[in-house]
Amino acid sequence: MTAVAPALGLEGGLQDLADELVGWLETGVRPDGLFADDVFCDLSLPQWRVQAQGPDDVYAIRETDHPFRGTVSVEALDRTARGFLVQFEERWDAEGQQWYCRELIHCRVTDGRISELSVYCTGDWDAAVQERHAEQVRLIRA
């Protein structure tokens, strides 16, 4: 599991929640008490939007539509007035190839648990999309 370095911006309970969230994203193992009983998730994809309420339905968005285990590399982790923001890239193997995506999740925290997630995802890039991107785009920063 990729640990979320404390130097990235959080301490104490928020750091613990960020660690648990990243752990779940990587392993699929549901941590106890991560989400509030009425947690709400709003997931935006390039051409789709999905919402869920309640821990089981929020977990199911990920577990049903993205059941693959992989590596989550946290690029940024910042405290907000209502919780924290985590920016990461993810890589996993499926269908005989390596996949990639980038995400930004704003987690609203209430009473020590995540009560709301606003998730923005690039969508899943297969090997062909990654290759086309590498040929056509020169990134200034990795």
Side-chain angles (χ1 to χ4, degrees):
M1 178 170 73
T2 304
V4 181
L8 289 175
L10 301 181
E11 298 174 350
L14 291 180
Q15 180 67 47
D16 294 341
L17 286 174
D19 287 339
E20 290 177 0
L21 178 66
V22 170
W24 168 62
L25 293 171
E26 281 194 327
T27 68
V29 176
R30 296 180 178 190
D32 292 332
L34 177 63
F35 296 136
D37 294 339
D38 61 347
V39 64
F40 173 76
C41 180
D42 189 357
L43 167 63
S44 295
L45 299 160
Q47 297 184 20
W48 209 249
R49 188 172 177 195
V50 179
Q51 295 179 338
Q53 184 141 20
D56 287 336
D57 289 345
V58 170
Y59 282 124
I61 287 177
R62 169 77 174 193
E63 295 165 355
T64 301
D65 295 332
H66 188 87
F68 314 105
R69 306 300 168 249
T71 302
V72 174
S73 299
V74 175
E75 298 171 343
L77 182 63
D78 295 297
R79 176 183 297 274
T80 68
R82 300 178 300 163
F84 64 93
L85 207 84
V86 59
Q87 174 185 322
F88 60 92
E89 75 172 24
E90 185 174 8
R91 295 185 181 276
W92 67 96
D93 292 318
E95 302 171 10
Q97 59 184 316
Q98 174 118 132
W99 291 73
Y100 168 85
C101 74
R102 293 189 74 213
E103 295 185 42
L104 180 69
I105 303 177
H106 179 221
C107 295
R108 183 176 192 166
V109 176
T110 306
D111 297 327
R113 298 192 307 176
I114 297 173
S115 56
E116 188 173 317
L117 299 97
S118 296
V119 183
Y120 300 90
C121 179
T122 60
D124 299 344
W125 295 11
D126 64 11
V129 170
Q130 292 175 71
E131 184 176 315
R132 189 171 73 244
H133 182 266
E135 290 171 356
Q136 296 179 12
V137 178
R138 182 184 150 272
L139 295 176
I140 298 167
R141 295 182 183 176

